[in-house]
Amino acid sequence: MTNPFTVSTRTARSGPIVTVGGELDVATAPRLRAGIAELSLAAGQLLVVELAGVTFCDSSGISALIAARNAAEAASAEIALVGVPSRLARTFALTGLADFFPAYPTIEAAVAAHG
C-alpha cells in the first residue's frame, strides 16, 4: 500500500511553508509544481519546503524541487528544505544537489538561519 500524496501551504512571517507527504513521483510531482507556481513569493522571503513526510521521491520529484528553487530565485527569495528523509539526503549528496538546497532539521532552524 502506498501513502497518499499530500501538499499543503501555509504562510509564516518569513514566507510560505509547503508541506509535502507521501510519494513524490511522476504522478504527483505536477501537483507540487502547480502549488509552487501559485505562491506569491516576494523578494527577501524564505520558501520552506517540508519533506519529513515524503516516503519516496523519484527524479520527477527532484525536478519539482529544482523548479521550486528556480521559482524562489526568480522572485529574489530563498529556499530551504526541512526534514529531508535520509534516503533523499543521500540522493542529493550523490548527485551534487546537497549544496544546491540548503537543508535544516526543523522549520525553526531554517527561519533562524534565514535571519
Side-chain angles (χ1 to χ4, degrees):
M1 182 172 153
T2 63
N3 291 335
F5 178 77
T6 59
V7 62
S8 62
T9 304
R10 62 185 168 97
T11 303
R13 289 193 328 205
S14 59
I17 299 171
V18 178
T19 302
V20 183
E23 295 186 1
L24 182 54
D25 58 19
V26 68
T28 60
R31 287 178 50 199
L32 177 58
R33 282 179 181 262
I36 297 294
E38 292 173 3
L39 296 176
S40 295
L41 282 168
Q45 284 189 315
L46 176 65
L47 168 59
V48 174
V49 182
E50 185 178 20
L51 300 171
V54 171
T55 56
F56 174 80
C57 184
D58 70 4
S59 61
S60 298
I62 292 171
S63 178
L65 294 172
I66 292 170
R69 182 185 184 275
N70 292 343
E73 190 173 89
S76 297
E78 295 181 33
I79 189 169
L81 303 184
V82 171
V84 179
S86 60
R87 62 197 161 282
L88 185 53
R90 178 172 157 75
T91 300
F92 286 161
L94 291 171
T95 58
L97 291 174
D99 295 332
F100 193 70
F101 290 113
Y104 301 90
T106 65
I107 293 169
E108 295 78 14
V111 171
H114 176 66

mmCIF file with all atom_site columns, all heavy atoms in Angstrom, residues 12-32:
data_model
loop_
_atom_site.group_PDB
_atom_site.id
_atom_site.type_symbol
_atom_site.label_atom_id
_atom_site.label_alt_id
_atom_site.label_comp_id
_atom_site.label_asym_id
_atom_site.label_entity_id
_atom_site.label_seq_id
_atom_site.pdbx_PDB_ins_code
_atom_site.Cartn_x
_atom_site.Cartn_y
_atom_site.Cartn_z
_atom_site.occupancy
_atom_site.B_iso_or_equiv
_atom_site.pdbx_formal_charge
_atom_site.auth_seq_id
_atom_site.auth_comp_id
_atom_site.auth_asym_id
_atom_site.auth_atom_id
_atom_site.pdbx_PDB_model_num
ATOM 1   N N   . ALA A 1 12 ? 3.880  31.976 6.816   1.00 0.00 ? 12 ALA A N   1
ATOM 2   C CA  . ALA A 1 12 ? 4.541  32.425 8.035   1.00 0.00 ? 12 ALA A CA  1
ATOM 3   C C   . ALA A 1 12 ? 5.085  33.826 7.775   1.00 0.00 ? 12 ALA A C   1
ATOM 4   O O   . ALA A 1 12 ? 5.081  34.299 6.630   1.00 0.00 ? 12 ALA A O   1
ATOM 5   C CB  . ALA A 1 12 ? 5.682  31.469 8.411   1.00 0.00 ? 12 ALA A CB  1
ATOM 6   N N   . ARG A 1 13 ? 5.561  34.475 8.800   1.00 0.00 ? 13 ARG A N   1
ATOM 7   C CA  . ARG A 1 13 ? 6.120  35.821 8.603   1.00 0.00 ? 13 ARG A CA  1
ATOM 8   C C   . ARG A 1 13 ? 7.304  35.808 7.642   1.00 0.00 ? 13 ARG A C   1
ATOM 9   O O   . ARG A 1 13 ? 7.530  36.764 6.911   1.00 0.00 ? 13 ARG A O   1
ATOM 10  C CB  . ARG A 1 13 ? 6.545  36.418 9.945   1.00 0.00 ? 13 ARG A CB  1
ATOM 11  C CG  . ARG A 1 13 ? 5.358  36.788 10.787  1.00 0.00 ? 13 ARG A CG  1
ATOM 12  C CD  . ARG A 1 13 ? 5.696  37.640 11.954  1.00 0.00 ? 13 ARG A CD  1
ATOM 13  N NE  . ARG A 1 13 ? 7.014  37.392 12.512  1.00 0.00 ? 13 ARG A NE  1
ATOM 14  C CZ  . ARG A 1 13 ? 7.344  37.639 13.745  1.00 0.00 ? 13 ARG A CZ  1
ATOM 15  N NH1 . ARG A 1 13 ? 6.466  38.140 14.568  1.00 0.00 ? 13 ARG A NH1 1
ATOM 16  N NH2 . ARG A 1 13 ? 8.567  37.400 14.173  1.00 0.00 ? 13 ARG A NH2 1
ATOM 17  N N   . SER A 1 14 ? 8.058  34.712 7.638   1.00 0.00 ? 14 SER A N   1
ATOM 18  C CA  . SER A 1 14 ? 9.239  34.620 6.776   1.00 0.00 ? 14 SER A CA  1
ATOM 19  C C   . SER A 1 14 ? 8.893  34.292 5.325   1.00 0.00 ? 14 SER A C   1
ATOM 20  O O   . SER A 1 14 ? 9.698  34.495 4.431   1.00 0.00 ? 14 SER A O   1
ATOM 21  C CB  . SER A 1 14 ? 10.196 33.561 7.319   1.00 0.00 ? 14 SER A CB  1
ATOM 22  O OG  . SER A 1 14 ? 9.536  32.308 7.381   1.00 0.00 ? 14 SER A OG  1
ATOM 23  N N   . GLY A 1 15 ? 7.689  33.766 5.092   1.00 0.00 ? 15 GLY A N   1
ATOM 24  C CA  . GLY A 1 15 ? 7.274  33.381 3.747   1.00 0.00 ? 15 GLY A CA  1
ATOM 25  C C   . GLY A 1 15 ? 6.461  32.100 3.775   1.00 0.00 ? 15 GLY A C   1
ATOM 26  O O   . GLY A 1 15 ? 6.119  31.589 4.836   1.00 0.00 ? 15 GLY A O   1
ATOM 27  N N   . PRO A 1 16 ? 6.155  31.554 2.609   1.00 0.00 ? 16 PRO A N   1
ATOM 28  C CA  . PRO A 1 16 ? 5.326  30.349 2.541   1.00 0.00 ? 16 PRO A CA  1
ATOM 29  C C   . PRO A 1 16 ? 6.052  29.095 3.025   1.00 0.00 ? 16 PRO A C   1
ATOM 30  O O   . PRO A 1 16 ? 7.260  28.949 2.847   1.00 0.00 ? 16 PRO A O   1
ATOM 31  C CB  . PRO A 1 16 ? 4.964  30.231 1.064   1.00 0.00 ? 16 PRO A CB  1
ATOM 32  C CG  . PRO A 1 16 ? 5.941  31.069 0.338   1.00 0.00 ? 16 PRO A CG  1
ATOM 33  C CD  . PRO A 1 16 ? 6.490  32.072 1.288   1.00 0.00 ? 16 PRO A CD  1
ATOM 34  N N   . ILE A 1 17 ? 5.261  28.210 3.638   1.00 0.00 ? 17 ILE A N   1
ATOM 35  C CA  . ILE A 1 17 ? 5.750  26.903 4.057   1.00 0.00 ? 17 ILE A CA  1
ATOM 36  C C   . ILE A 1 17 ? 4.903  25.861 3.331   1.00 0.00 ? 17 ILE A C   1
ATOM 37  O O   . ILE A 1 17 ? 3.678  25.838 3.474   1.00 0.00 ? 17 ILE A O   1
ATOM 38  C CB  . ILE A 1 17 ? 5.644  26.710 5.574   1.00 0.00 ? 17 ILE A CB  1
ATOM 39  C CG1 . ILE A 1 17 ? 6.491  27.759 6.292   1.00 0.00 ? 17 ILE A CG1 1
ATOM 40  C CG2 . ILE A 1 17 ? 6.060  25.287 5.972   1.00 0.00 ? 17 ILE A CG2 1
ATOM 41  C CD1 . ILE A 1 17 ? 6.300  27.796 7.792   1.00 0.00 ? 17 ILE A CD1 1
ATOM 42  N N   . VAL A 1 18 ? 5.562  25.043 2.531   1.00 0.00 ? 18 VAL A N   1
ATOM 43  C CA  . VAL A 1 18 ? 4.889  23.994 1.770   1.00 0.00 ? 18 VAL A CA  1
ATOM 44  C C   . VAL A 1 18 ? 5.256  22.659 2.404   1.00 0.00 ? 18 VAL A C   1
ATOM 45  O O   . VAL A 1 18 ? 6.432  22.319 2.509   1.00 0.00 ? 18 VAL A O   1
ATOM 46  C CB  . VAL A 1 18 ? 5.317  24.025 0.286   1.00 0.00 ? 18 VAL A CB  1
ATOM 47  C CG1 . VAL A 1 18 ? 4.660  22.899 -0.493  1.00 0.00 ? 18 VAL A CG1 1
ATOM 48  C CG2 . VAL A 1 18 ? 4.996  25.379 -0.336  1.00 0.00 ? 18 VAL A CG2 1
ATOM 49  N N   . THR A 1 19 ? 4.249  21.920 2.839   1.00 0.00 ? 19 THR A N   1
ATOM 50  C CA  . THR A 1 19 ? 4.470  20.615 3.467   1.00 0.00 ? 19 THR A CA  1
ATOM 51  C C   . THR A 1 19 ? 4.047  19.528 2.493   1.00 0.00 ? 19 THR A C   1
ATOM 52  O O   . THR A 1 19 ? 2.923  19.542 1.982   1.00 0.00 ? 19 THR A O   1
ATOM 53  C CB  . THR A 1 19 ? 3.669  20.508 4.782   1.00 0.00 ? 19 THR A CB  1
ATOM 54  O OG1 . THR A 1 19 ? 4.077  21.566 5.651   1.00 0.00 ? 19 THR A OG1 1
ATOM 55  C CG2 . THR A 1 19 ? 3.917  19.172 5.463   1.00 0.00 ? 19 THR A CG2 1
ATOM 56  N N   . VAL A 1 20 ? 4.981  18.611 2.240   1.00 0.00 ? 20 VAL A N   1
ATOM 57  C CA  . VAL A 1 20 ? 4.764  17.538 1.267   1.00 0.00 ? 20 VAL A CA  1
ATOM 58  C C   . VAL A 1 20 ? 4.792  16.206 1.998   1.00 0.00 ? 20 VAL A C   1
ATOM 59  O O   . VAL A 1 20 ? 5.635  15.980 2.868   1.00 0.00 ? 20 VAL A O   1
ATOM 60  C CB  . VAL A 1 20 ? 5.863  17.568 0.177   1.00 0.00 ? 20 VAL A CB  1
ATOM 61  C CG1 . VAL A 1 20 ? 5.603  16.510 -0.882  1.00 0.00 ? 20 VAL A CG1 1
ATOM 62  C CG2 . VAL A 1 20 ? 5.972  18.950 -0.449  1.00 0.00 ? 20 VAL A CG2 1
ATOM 63  N N   . GLY A 1 21 ? 3.882  15.312 1.632   1.00 0.00 ? 21 GLY A N   1
ATOM 64  C CA  . GLY A 1 21 ? 3.851  13.981 2.230   1.00 0.00 ? 21 GLY A CA  1
ATOM 65  C C   . GLY A 1 21 ? 3.544  12.922 1.195   1.00 0.00 ? 21 GLY A C   1
ATOM 66  O O   . GLY A 1 21 ? 2.991  13.215 0.131   1.00 0.00 ? 21 GLY A O   1
ATOM 67  N N   . GLY A 1 22 ? 3.906  11.700 1.497   1.00 0.00 ? 22 GLY A N   1
ATOM 68  C CA  . GLY A 1 22 ? 3.632  10.587 0.596   1.00 0.00 ? 22 GLY A CA  1
ATOM 69  C C   . GLY A 1 22 ? 4.696  10.432 -0.468  1.00 0.00 ? 22 GLY A C   1
ATOM 70  O O   . GLY A 1 22 ? 5.853  10.807 -0.282  1.00 0.00 ? 22 GLY A O   1
ATOM 71  N N   . GLU A 1 23 ? 4.295  9.880  -1.603  1.00 0.00 ? 23 GLU A N   1
ATOM 72  C CA  . GLU A 1 23 ? 5.217  9.596  -2.694  1.00 0.00 ? 23 GLU A CA  1
ATOM 73  C C   . GLU A 1 23 ? 5.269  10.764 -3.668  1.00 0.00 ? 23 GLU A C   1
ATOM 74  O O   . GLU A 1 23 ? 4.256  11.128 -4.268  1.00 0.00 ? 23 GLU A O   1
ATOM 75  C CB  . GLU A 1 23 ? 4.808  8.311  -3.412  1.00 0.00 ? 23 GLU A CB  1
ATOM 76  C CG  . GLU A 1 23 ? 4.918  7.093  -2.510  1.00 0.00 ? 23 GLU A CG  1
ATOM 77  C CD  . GLU A 1 23 ? 4.662  5.783  -3.223  1.00 0.00 ? 23 GLU A CD  1
ATOM 78  O OE1 . GLU A 1 23 ? 4.412  5.779  -4.453  1.00 0.00 ? 23 GLU A OE1 1
ATOM 79  O OE2 . GLU A 1 23 ? 4.733  4.747  -2.551  1.00 0.00 ? 23 GLU A OE2 1
ATOM 80  N N   . LEU A 1 24 ? 6.457  11.328 -3.809  1.00 0.00 ? 24 LEU A N   1
ATOM 81  C CA  . LEU A 1 24 ? 6.686  12.431 -4.735  1.00 0.00 ? 24 LEU A CA  1
ATOM 82  C C   . LEU A 1 24 ? 7.324  11.838 -5.985  1.00 0.00 ? 24 LEU A C   1
ATOM 83  O O   . LEU A 1 24 ? 8.520  11.559 -6.024  1.00 0.00 ? 24 LEU A O   1
ATOM 84  C CB  . LEU A 1 24 ? 7.591  13.478 -4.071  1.00 0.00 ? 24 LEU A CB  1
ATOM 85  C CG  . LEU A 1 24 ? 7.917  14.743 -4.865  1.00 0.00 ? 24 LEU A CG  1
ATOM 86  C CD1 . LEU A 1 24 ? 6.652  15.430 -5.348  1.00 0.00 ? 24 LEU A CD1 1
ATOM 87  C CD2 . LEU A 1 24 ? 8.761  15.672 -4.013  1.00 0.00 ? 24 LEU A CD2 1
ATOM 88  N N   . ASP A 1 25 ? 6.492  11.596 -6.989  1.00 0.00 ? 25 ASP A N   1
ATOM 89  C CA  . ASP A 1 25 ? 6.953  10.888 -8.181  1.00 0.00 ? 25 ASP A CA  1
ATOM 90  C C   . ASP A 1 25 ? 6.324  11.468 -9.438  1.00 0.00 ? 25 ASP A C   1
ATOM 91  O O   . ASP A 1 25 ? 5.708  12.528 -9.398  1.00 0.00 ? 25 ASP A O   1
ATOM 92  C CB  . ASP A 1 25 ? 6.677  9.388  -8.051  1.00 0.00 ? 25 ASP A CB  1
ATOM 93  C CG  . ASP A 1 25 ? 5.208  9.057  -7.845  1.00 0.00 ? 25 ASP A CG  1
ATOM 94  O OD1 . ASP A 1 25 ? 4.339  9.907  -8.155  1.00 0.00 ? 25 ASP A OD1 1
ATOM 95  O OD2 . ASP A 1 25 ? 4.914  7.947  -7.378  1.00 0.00 ? 25 ASP A OD2 1
ATOM 96  N N   . VAL A 1 26 ? 6.468  10.756 -10.541 1.00 0.00 ? 26 VAL A N   1
ATOM 97  C CA  . VAL A 1 26 ? 5.983  11.233 -11.828 1.00 0.00 ? 26 VAL A CA  1
ATOM 98  C C   . VAL A 1 26 ? 4.482  11.533 -11.801 1.00 0.00 ? 26 VAL A C   1
ATOM 99  O O   . VAL A 1 26 ? 4.015  12.442 -12.486 1.00 0.00 ? 26 VAL A O   1
ATOM 100 C CB  . VAL A 1 26 ? 6.347  10.235 -12.962 1.00 0.00 ? 26 VAL A CB  1
ATOM 101 C CG1 . VAL A 1 26 ? 5.584  8.925  -12.812 1.00 0.00 ? 26 VAL A CG1 1
ATOM 102 C CG2 . VAL A 1 26 ? 6.138  10.853 -14.327 1.00 0.00 ? 26 VAL A CG2 1
ATOM 103 N N   . ALA A 1 27 ? 3.732  10.824 -10.995 1.00 0.00 ? 27 ALA A N   1
ATOM 104 C CA  . ALA A 1 27 ? 2.287  11.035 -10.924 1.00 0.00 ? 27 ALA A CA  1
ATOM 105 C C   . ALA A 1 27 ? 1.910  12.226 -10.048 1.00 0.00 ? 27 ALA A C   1
ATOM 106 O O   . ALA A 1 27 ? 0.872  12.855 -10.277 1.00 0.00 ? 27 ALA A O   1
ATOM 107 C CB  . ALA A 1 27 ? 1.600  9.774  -10.402 1.00 0.00 ? 27 ALA A CB  1
ATOM 108 N N   . THR A 1 28 ? 2.739  12.559 -9.056  1.00 0.00 ? 28 THR A N   1
ATOM 109 C CA  . THR A 1 28 ? 2.371  13.590 -8.090  1.00 0.00 ? 28 THR A CA  1
ATOM 110 C C   . THR A 1 28 ? 3.196  14.876 -8.199  1.00 0.00 ? 28 THR A C   1
ATOM 111 O O   . THR A 1 28 ? 2.756  15.925 -7.729  1.00 0.00 ? 28 THR A O   1
ATOM 112 C CB  . THR A 1 28 ? 2.495  13.042 -6.654  1.00 0.00 ? 28 THR A CB  1
ATOM 113 O OG1 . THR A 1 28 ? 3.850  12.633 -6.430  1.00 0.00 ? 28 THR A OG1 1
ATOM 114 C CG2 . THR A 1 28 ? 1.555  11.859 -6.432  1.00 0.00 ? 28 THR A CG2 1
ATOM 115 N N   . ALA A 1 29 ? 4.358  14.804 -8.802  1.00 0.00 ? 29 ALA A N   1
ATOM 116 C CA  . ALA A 1 29 ? 5.225  15.984 -8.914  1.00 0.00 ? 29 ALA A CA  1
ATOM 117 C C   . ALA A 1 29 ? 4.512  17.168 -9.580  1.00 0.00 ? 29 ALA A C   1
ATOM 118 O O   . ALA A 1 29 ? 4.723  18.316 -9.154  1.00 0.00 ? 29 ALA A O   1
ATOM 119 C CB  . ALA A 1 29 ? 6.513  15.634 -9.644  1.00 0.00 ? 29 ALA A CB  1
ATOM 120 N N   . PRO A 1 30 ? 3.654  16.948 -10.589 1.00 0.00 ? 30 PRO A N   1
ATOM 121 C CA  . PRO A 1 30 ? 2.950  18.093 -11.175 1.00 0.00 ? 30 PRO A CA  1
ATOM 122 C C   . PRO A 1 30 ? 2.085  18.856 -10.157 1.00 0.00 ? 30 PRO A C   1
ATOM 123 O O   . PRO A 1 30 ? 1.932  20.066 -10.259 1.00 0.00 ? 30 PRO A O   1
ATOM 124 C CB  . PRO A 1 30 ? 2.094  17.470 -12.284 1.00 0.00 ? 30 PRO A CB  1
ATOM 125 C CG  . PRO A 1 30 ? 2.857  16.237 -12.677 1.00 0.00 ? 30 PRO A CG  1
ATOM 126 C CD  . PRO A 1 30 ? 3.421  15.721 -11.372 1.00 0.00 ? 30 PRO A CD  1
ATOM 127 N N   . ARG A 1 31 ? 1.549  18.153 -9.170  1.00 0.00 ? 31 ARG A N   1
ATOM 128 C CA  . ARG A 1 31 ? 0.755  18.836 -8.135  1.00 0.00 ? 31 ARG A CA  1
ATOM 129 C C   . ARG A 1 31 ? 1.637  19.740 -7.290  1.00 0.00 ? 31 ARG A C   1
ATOM 130 O O   . ARG A 1 31 ? 1.225  20.846 -6.922  1.00 0.00 ? 31 ARG A O   1
ATOM 131 C CB  . ARG A 1 31 ? 0.036  17.813 -7.267  1.00 0.00 ? 31 ARG A CB  1
ATOM 132 C CG  . ARG A 1 31 ? -1.118 17.163 -8.017  1.00 0.00 ? 31 ARG A CG  1
ATOM 133 C CD  . ARG A 1 31 ? -1.844 16.097 -7.244  1.00 0.00 ? 31 ARG A CD  1
ATOM 134 N NE  . ARG A 1 31 ? -2.243 16.482 -5.911  1.00 0.00 ? 31 ARG A NE  1
ATOM 135 C CZ  . ARG A 1 31 ? -2.560 15.601 -4.966  1.00 0.00 ? 31 ARG A CZ  1
ATOM 136 N NH1 . ARG A 1 31 ? -2.524 14.303 -5.225  1.00 0.00 ? 31 ARG A NH1 1
ATOM 137 N NH2 . ARG A 1 31 ? -2.912 16.008 -3.769  1.00 0.00 ? 31 ARG A NH2 1
ATOM 138 N N   . LEU A 1 32 ? 2.860  19.286 -6.980  1.00 0.00 ? 32 LEU A N   1
ATOM 139 C CA  . LEU A 1 32 ? 3.779  20.135 -6.227  1.00 0.00 ? 32 LEU A CA  1
ATOM 140 C C   . LEU A 1 32 ? 4.182  21.342 -7.073  1.00 0.00 ? 32 LEU A C   1
ATOM 141 O O   . LEU A 1 32 ? 4.177  22.477 -6.588  1.00 0.00 ? 32 LEU A O   1
ATOM 142 C CB  . LEU A 1 32 ? 5.020  19.353 -5.787  1.00 0.00 ? 32 LEU A CB  1
ATOM 143 C CG  . LEU A 1 32 ? 6.076  20.179 -5.057  1.00 0.00 ? 32 LEU A CG  1
ATOM 144 C CD1 . LEU A 1 32 ? 5.502  20.853 -3.812  1.00 0.00 ? 32 LEU A CD1 1
ATOM 145 C CD2 . LEU A 1 32 ? 7.271  19.308 -4.690  1.00 0.00 ? 32 LEU A CD2 1
#
